[in-house]
Amino acid sequence: MTPTNLKITLDGSAGSAAPYAQLRAQIADRARSGKLPAGFKLPTVRGLAEELGLAANTVAKAYRALEADGVIETRGRNGTFVAAAGEGPAREAASCAQDFAERAHRLGLTRAEALAAATEAVRARYGS
């Protein structure tokens, strides 16, 4: 098997993120930065698992999460590819925001309280 040019590195030290999370983050970062262009064919689950010394289920879990995020798309037997940026992630974010708004309303939060909670969550994730 020939190695891919994904250049994935996994940190196995104590306290590091789970391997699937590291894999997911690295592929997502590279796709969003353009280092992995739209249409780039990713290795098979089994192939990448062998290359990285991971269980196939670990890679499959990362791929499922990336597909749910709109970062990659599976085209049946043709393989898995980096998805085109734009509409998919924006649509997913809007859906998540709608779900949050509905849940905050059911919890009895005011608009200001819901906005404050969302703003704090975004601030915590992206920094101030």
Side-chain angles (χ1 to χ4, degrees), residues 72-99:
I72 65 173
E73 59 189 7
T74 301
R75 299 179 190 162
R77 292 185 176 194
N78 292 322
T80 303
F81 299 83
V82 174
E87 190 176 321
R91 186 174 54 243
E92 178 72 17
S95 175
C96 290
Q98 181 64 37
D99 291 345

Side-chain angles (χ1 to χ4, degrees), residues 7-97:
K7 299 178 184 162
I8 300 293
T9 56
L10 299 175
D11 181 1
S13 63
S16 61
Y20 95 90
Q22 293 180 52
L23 179 59
R24 176 186 184 183
Q26 289 181 49
I27 291 174
D29 289 346
R30 289 185 178 104
R32 290 187 179 117
S33 72
K35 290 179 184 175
L36 289 177
F40 178 86
K41 186 174 183 177
L42 294 168
T44 64
V45 166
R46 200 171 280 170
L48 188 55
E50 285 178 21
E51 183 178 331
L52 297 175
L54 297 172
N57 285 341
T58 300
V59 176
K61 183 176 180 179
Y63 275 20
R64 282 191 304 272
L66 288 162
E67 190 163 24
D69 291 344
V71 175
I72 65 173
E73 59 189 7
T74 301
R75 299 179 190 162
R77 292 185 176 194
N78 292 322
T80 303
F81 299 83
V82 174
E87 190 176 321
R91 186 174 54 243
E92 178 72 17
S95 175
C96 290

